[in-house]
Amino acid sequence: MDALTLTSLHSPSCFSHPLPSPKSPDPKSYIPRFRFHPLSIPSKSHLSRQNLNKPKVSTSDSPSIAIPVVDPFTSGETSGEKFDWYSHWYPLAPVCDLDKRAPRAMRVLGLDLVVWWDRVEGQWRVFDDRCPHRLAPLSEGRIDRWGRLQCVYHGWCFDGSGSCKLIPQAPEDGPQASHCLSLQVHTSGKACAASYPCCVQNKIVWFWPRTEPLYKNILMKCKPPSIPELDDPSYASSMGIRDMSYGYEVLIENLLDPAHEFGYGKFVAPCLVHMFPDSGSNIGSASSSGSKADQRKFHIIVYCIPVSSGKSRLIWSFPRNFSVWIDQIVPRWMFHVGQNLILDSDMHLLHVEERIIAEIGPSNWEKTCFVPTKSDVMVTAFRRWFKKYSNCQVDWAKKSVGYLPPTPPREQLLDRYWSHVVQCSSCSLALKVLRVLEASLPILSLILIGVVAASKPSVMSAAIRTAVVSMAVLLFAASRWLSHFIYKTFYFHDYNHAFI
Ligand code: FES
């Protein structure tokens, strides 16, 4: 990924100093100052999926807890300490991209989730995406008139806490369940949907991947990582979201690669990569006069989300405190056009690289790859961290998501519609509007031709006829161009490095 291009989409002026390169004469000038934060490193047994149902309270992320910092240059030998993937907050989606009217299916850590808006309590909810009745996905359901999540298979309804409030086939004054004589079926614990703790932080919905009651108030003890600039009104901080056709570790590795990224930053496990162009995160004039240019600040914030093996998701934002007006007049989807192109540029090669690593065995990465330069340091450090604290794999919730999926046709690999457009409110709206325009232009063209054909020469001069026919031709040509633009922008745009 070329961060120079990616970020310059927002403001080319912010790159007044050269981007460090591996060939720089002064290697120190581009060595990133990353720190690895393997938050919450519990005992080995803590990692086990079999223990997930045992109540545990994590104190990870707590400001009062000392965060161990791993030396990136330590050996990658397996340690007795493991990273607990289930004791951290995970971002799901920017609030602006969620529709309060409809539940949304999302997968994280191999967990199938449904996100929905509980208008009764005025907050987002995250449930297991399966109905306790016959396991139909709740994300296929609807929000009923009382603001409950309704499974559309047999109509069971759940409130924000997951309690079942309606079973159409068992009215409250009807017969009791034969196997549960002392309870109405509605009130049985087995009728409840599994609910995860969730919250909104930095305009993003987050969830905690445990449903046990012990974690209900986990937010009081531990909060998602906070980036003040994302909530600062003096910053422009529009967001984007996209599913990638390669895995979490390859995504992190790509972002930590200083050969084509910024020089400074930090990785906060498991999801946050935060980069800035210099140690003070200031950009602009190099003078120390305290001028306005000195106060310009720009960040790259990317949340890397493990979805399943070979699948990841990223949520990005580039908060900056200058040229804020641009984001107020340029719709978000226009930024996404270029940003998606940049994400596409690496998609195929990273997808293939991931399969090669799988063939050689992830634990052999360092033996097989030749990584001699200082620009490889952070990637190597991440690989060592991943090996040492997680045995080179994410602790997926289900074994079935732990295998790399087969390589799809290129159109699916670089698909934009399902990976981005359906998840992005701005691109979805733009696609609808442009589709209407595309359909309207040929009709307008035909109408103009019809007017010319129906007009007598005495009513419409030859010059006007020519002008109207020209306009009709232009409108038709515009519709064809628009059709091509829509396809390349919202569905599939092939990327061939040899011809770029
Ligand atoms: S499966 Fe959901 S109501 Fe039957």
Side-chain angles (χ1 to χ4, degrees):
M1 184 186 306
D2 183 342
L4 174 62
T5 316
L6 188 70
T7 50
S8 60
L9 288 167
H10 278 259
S11 174
S13 66
C14 64
F15 294 97
S16 55
H17 63 284
L19 189 71
S21 102
K23 294 175 184 170
S24 165
D26 178 11
K28 288 178 187 166
S29 68
Y30 63 83
I31 297 173
R33 296 179 184 172
F34 276 94
R35 301 177 80 208
F36 277 69
H37 295 187
L39 303 175
S40 179
I41 303 172
S43 68
K44 204 169 192 173
S45 60
H46 204 186
L47 182 72
S48 156
R49 287 291 305 141
Q50 290 91 316
N51 288 341
L52 285 183
N53 292 328
K54 294 179 183 174
K56 302 182 279 236
V57 173
S58 164
T59 53
S60 71
D61 288 340
S62 168
S64 62
I65 299 295
I67 297 171
V69 177
V70 171
D71 176 358
F73 300 97
T74 55
S75 80
E77 291 173 8
T78 302
S79 160
E81 295 177 320
K82 291 295 179 187
F83 182 77
D84 186 352
W85 295 85
Y86 293 84
S87 290
H88 298 276
W89 288 96
Y90 288 83
L92 284 170
V95 170
C96 62
D97 286 328
L98 290 170
D99 187 344
K100 288 184 175 176
R101 299 167 303 171
R104 162 92 72 87
M106 303 211 84
R107 178 178 277 184
V108 177
L109 283 173
L111 294 165
D112 287 310
L113 311 165
V114 56
V115 188
W116 64 284
W117 175 249
D118 174 9
R119 70 168 180 261
V120 176
E121 297 295 331
Q123 55 184 286
W124 293 99
R125 303 287 191 184
V126 179
F127 287 1
D128 255 340
D129 192 13
R130 60 180 190 178
C131 177
H133 180 218
R134 298 249 296 271
L135 311 182
L138 292 169
S139 55
E140 291 294 313
R142 64 170 76 91
I143 313 298
D144 75 0
R145 73 170 87 165
W146 290 279
R148 305 172 299 195
L149 179 61
Q150 182 174 43
C151 175
V152 289
Y153 197 7
H154 306 98
W156 290 29
C157 292
F158 307 92
D159 69 9
S161 67
S163 298
C164 182
K165 292 298 175 188
L166 175 69
I167 296 178
Q169 300 79 16
E172 285 186 22
D173 56 354
Q176 295 170 346
S178 57
H179 61 282
C180 191
L181 295 176
S182 62
L183 290 173
Q184 292 285 355
V185 286
H186 311 81
T187 56
S188 165
K190 288 187 170 182
C192 293
S195 174
Y196 293 89
C198 62
C199 66
V200 173
Q201 169 98 303
N202 292 144
K203 297 176 276 192
I204 293 171
V205 176
W206 299 70
F207 91 110
W208 184 271
R210 290 184 188 270
T211 57
E212 298 92 320
L214 184 63
Y215 297 97
K216 192 176 171 193
N217 296 316
I218 190 70
L219 187 61
M220 310 290 286
K221 300 183 176 112
C222 168
K223 295 188 182 342
S226 173
I227 310 288
E229 288 80 6
L230 289 176
D231 289 333
D232 188 336
S234 66
Y235 278 74
S237 57
S238 68
M239 294 185 181
I241 181 170
R242 178 149 182 200
D243 284 3
M244 309 302 284
S245 297
Y246 48 82
Y248 160 85
E249 61 269 37
V250 178
L251 176 59
I252 297 262
E253 201 182 279
N254 189 29
L255 291 164
L256 293 184
D257 189 344
H260 55 179
E261 287 293 0
F262 274 29
Y264 301 90
K266 63 181 177 181
F267 166 61
V268 181
C271 296
L272 174 62
V273 174
H274 183 180
M275 292 170 283
F276 33 88
D278 62 37
S279 57
S281 68
N282 291 325
I283 62 171
S285 166
S287 84
S288 56
S289 61
S291 66
K292 197 173 177 183
D294 291 335
Q295 305 308 314
R296 292 180 168 192
K297 292 189 177 178
F298 178 85
H299 300 250
I300 294 179
I301 292 161
V302 185
Y303 298 102
C304 306
I305 304 160
V307 174
S308 58
S309 188
K311 301 277 182 189
S312 57
R313 180 176 305 120
L314 64 110
I315 297 172
W316 69 85
S317 181
F318 311 126
R320 66 177 194 283
N321 65 351
F322 55 94
S323 304
V324 174
W325 58 271
I326 294 176
D327 285 39
Q328 289 162 357
I329 59 172
V330 177
R332 205 160 49 106
W333 71 269
M334 288 191 177
F335 293 117
H336 292 176
V337 175
Q339 290 160 357
N340 274 315
L341 191 60
I342 292 156
L343 293 171
D344 283 342
S345 70
D346 286 341
M347 192 80 83
H348 186 259
L349 71 92
L350 292 177
H351 177 89
V352 173
E353 177 197 295
E354 182 173 39
R355 275 141 188 81
I356 295 173
I357 292 172
E359 276 175 25
I360 63 170
S363 60
N364 294 322
W365 182 88
E366 208 169 341
K367 287 184 206 154
T368 310
C369 295
F370 182 49
V371 280
T373 72
K374 288 189 175 178
S375 81
D376 295 316
V377 161
M378 295 320 304
V379 175
T380 305
F382 171 73
R383 280 286 173 186
R384 287 178 181 175
W385 174 86
F386 198 48
K387 182 177 181 179
K388 184 172 182 179
Y389 293 104
S390 199
N391 200 26
C392 300
Q393 59 185 343
V394 175
D395 185 22
W396 301 113
K398 291 182 257 180
K399 273 192 178 163
S400 58
V401 303
Y403 301 99
L404 285 179
T407 297
R410 200 169 171 88
E411 286 79 5
Q412 286 177 32
L413 194 71
L414 298 177
D415 159 75
R416 285 200 190 167
Y417 182 74
W418 294 107
S419 68
H420 173 70
V421 174
V422 293
Q423 300 194 68
C424 173
S425 58
S426 181
C427 288
S428 296
L429 180 62
L431 177 58
K432 277 183 198 152
V433 171
L434 292 176
R435 278 276 185 227
V436 170
L437 188 59
E438 181 200 5
S440 305
L441 290 175
I443 296 171
L444 271 175
S445 176
L446 281 175
I447 290 172
L448 289 177
I449 295 291
V451 169
V452 170
S455 302
K456 294 178 181 173
S458 57
V459 177
M460 188 179 284
S461 70
I464 294 177
R465 281 170 182 270
T466 304
V468 173
V469 170
S470 300
M471 176 64 74
V473 171
L474 276 178
L475 289 176
F476 187 78
S479 80
R480 296 301 83 213
W481 177 87
L482 191 54
S483 173
H484 180 69
F485 175 81
I486 287 172
Y487 182 69
K488 292 192 87 169
T489 302
F490 300 108
Y491 291 93
F492 170 64
H493 188 149
D494 203 359
Y495 198 102
N496 188 332
H497 288 265
F499 297 109
I500 299 296

